[in-house]
Amino acid sequence: MTRFFGSSARRLLADIRPLRESPAFRRLWAGTALSSIGGSMTSFAVMLQVYDLTRSSAAVGAIGIIQLIPVLTLGLIGGSFADAVDRRRLVLVTSSCLAAVSAIFAAQAFLGLRQLWLLYVLAAVEALLVAINDPARRTFVQRLLPAERLAAGIALNHLSVQVSRLAGVLLAGVIAAAAGLRMCYLIDALSFGAALYGVGRMPAMPPLDSLMQPGLRAVAEGLRFIRRRPVLAAAFLADLDAMVLGMPVALFPALNTAHFGGSPQPLGLLVAGPAAGGLIGSALSGPAGRITRQGRAMLLTVAVWGAAIAGFGITRTLWLALLLLAIAGAADATSVVFRVTIVQLVTPDVFRGRVTSVDYVVGAGGGQLGNFEAGLVASLTSPTISAVSGGIATVIGAALLRLAVPAFARYTVPSRADAPSADP
């Protein structure tokens, strides 16, 4: 009996075989996780420093808009570079530049410059570099792992992101209180050493086929490739369905006031709810790696997200609200694993950088648009109506997508022999 339950627990937990079997993936995973902790500390420090300078929530909110503009305008072009050059070398260059930006953040804090414009400029430059760095970095796992380990590797990457973000914020709060924001920036700059080591020890990642010069023409070719692949287009539309229609974060303060008394403690719990669910979903991602009908599974997780958000919008019981938000976060984390796996397996190497850049833009921009949509609907109706209608619309959108693109629901993970090659 003990052996049975032990085996069941191992099947439920995240599959760590990619870490055991691939030293290159293990080094990349560890280095990225350490660097992500530093990145979370810088995000915390920038937000707090801007607020200390201005005492304005609008000024803090402007950071997100400033960072979103490079993502939307340059994210796709960054993918064309990832398809034209050695991706490992590209990430080494962009990561080195990001380390330099963190060092400048630290320098301005140590020098006590207190210049808002400088913080905004550095935040914009950082977002620009990330828009080039992340799409290229996301292509590594497909080269480092066999097809049967790809979903497990992506789940481990997502788990490290969830843990790093949480750990980074907690550490930043302690370090900022003890040694000031400047130490948060300095630790981030130093943490890039781990990321550079992990990438530097990988094999070269040159394009497997010839490519035209990077730029708008290459981006357009990548978009045409997505349009010709209904499974890819449906994966992106499913994510946009969940994020644009169902994102609830902008409603948290108003719903906290209306349903839970309005004090800061419940609001903090509401903000943490989806993140906690995402962490649990990533840690218990073992079954996700064994699901072959990933298109259908992604639609199901999107529907679960929508249903949980709709339920959250109407409940006035705090523990139930937190449970529903945790369920939504777990569904979202699992959906990300399916989406990224589908993108990497369906896309041949010659297009992988550009298609991954679309995935990055959809993921980074969808949530921002969703928060804007939720706030707009709430201002025209009420926060409860916005949350409930958005959740229901997400469920309906998933059902319509299944009917409109039946190939997506039928999509099955290919065997290693059937995985895409360099040929489109």
Side-chain angles (χ1 to χ4, degrees):
M1 183 66 71
T2 302
R3 182 180 300 175
F4 171 78
F5 283 112
S7 176
S8 299
R10 286 193 297 271
R11 290 174 62 85
L12 183 62
L13 294 174
D15 186 351
I16 63 171
R17 283 178 294 180
L19 295 174
R20 293 202 306 261
E21 297 170 357
S22 172
F25 176 78
R26 182 168 62 248
R27 288 190 294 265
L28 177 67
W29 185 86
T32 302
L34 290 173
S35 181
S36 295
I37 292 174
S40 295
M41 295 176 70
T42 284
S43 297
F44 175 91
V46 171
M47 177 182 65
L48 187 54
Q49 189 175 5
V50 168
Y51 185 75
D52 286 343
L53 287 174
T54 64
R55 294 296 167 179
S56 168
S57 296
V60 175
I63 299 171
I65 301 300
I66 289 170
Q67 292 180 322
L68 181 61
I69 293 172
V71 169
L72 297 180
T73 57
L74 298 175
L76 299 181
I77 295 178
S80 71
F81 279 93
D83 282 337
V85 300
D86 185 322
R87 293 166 185 159
R88 169 183 167 274
R89 185 174 300 174
L90 176 63
V91 171
L92 285 173
V93 171
T94 54
S95 295
S96 298
C97 292
L98 284 166
V101 171
S102 292
I104 297 173
F105 269 124
Q108 63 84 31
F110 274 98
L111 293 173
L113 298 183
R114 298 181 61 81
Q115 296 294 318
L116 181 63
W117 69 267
L118 179 58
L119 294 174
Y120 282 162
V121 169
L122 290 174
V125 172
E126 182 182 55
L128 184 152
L129 291 169
V130 170
I132 300 172
N133 180 83
D134 274 20
R137 182 182 289 273
R138 292 183 186 191
T139 66
F140 291 160
V141 64
Q142 202 278 339
R143 292 268 196 107
L144 296 176
L145 298 176
E148 63 270 18
R149 297 285 185 266
L150 185 59
I154 291 170
L156 287 170
N157 283 341
H158 195 61
L159 174 61
S160 73
V161 169
Q162 299 285 347
V163 173
S164 298
R165 285 176 179 172
L166 183 59
V169 171
L170 294 175
L171 285 173
V174 174
I175 292 172
L181 296 177
R182 58 189 183 181
M183 289 305 299
C184 294
Y185 293 130
L186 181 59
I187 290 172
D188 181 26
L190 295 175
S191 74
F192 274 98
L196 290 170
Y197 175 79
V199 176
R201 291 291 306 278
M202 290 195 317
M205 297 281 181
L208 298 181
D209 202 352
S210 61
L211 176 69
M212 66 183 71
Q213 291 297 315
L216 294 179
R217 185 178 178 185
V219 171
E221 184 180 351
L223 294 175
R224 285 194 296 270
F225 172 81
I226 294 173
R227 188 181 62 191
R228 296 194 301 266
R229 300 298 191 278
V231 169
L232 281 178
F236 294 141
L237 288 173
D239 189 70
L240 287 173
D241 172 40
M243 294 295 99
V244 175
L245 297 180
M247 178 59 71
V249 176
L251 306 174
F252 285 170
L255 287 173
N256 180 52
T257 299
H259 294 176
F260 309 114
S263 66
Q265 290 85 354
L267 179 59
L269 293 174
L270 294 179
V271 173
L279 179 59
I280 294 171
S282 298
L284 303 181
S285 60
R290 294 186 289 272
I291 292 175
T292 58
R293 299 287 293 272
Q294 293 194 344
R296 183 173 63 182
M298 184 178 177
L299 291 175
L300 178 60
T301 55
V302 167
V304 171
W305 159 274
I309 296 302
F312 160 72
I314 60 174
T315 185
R316 294 177 178 270
T317 304
L318 182 59
W319 71 264
L320 181 57
L322 296 176
L323 175 61
L324 289 169
L325 288 174
I327 291 172
D332 178 57
T334 308
S335 175
V336 169
V337 172
F338 292 141
R339 187 188 80 240
V340 176
T341 303
I342 291 169
V343 167
Q344 295 299 318
L345 288 178
V346 171
T347 308
D349 187 80
V350 69
F351 286 108
R352 189 165 288 125
R354 283 165 287 175
V355 173
T356 303
S357 71
V358 174
D359 185 32
Y360 171 73
V361 170
V362 166
Q368 298 284 1
L369 292 175
N371 276 320
F372 176 77
E373 179 272 339
L376 180 61
V377 173
S379 67
L380 296 175
T381 57
S382 73
T384 296
I385 291 175
S386 179
V388 173
S389 64
I392 293 174
T394 299
V395 176
I396 294 173
L400 292 176
L401 191 57
R402 188 186 193 285
L403 295 175
V405 191
F408 186 58
R410 294 196 302 266
Y411 170 76
T412 302
V413 174
S415 66
R416 182 166 177 81
D418 296 331
S421 65
D423 302 323

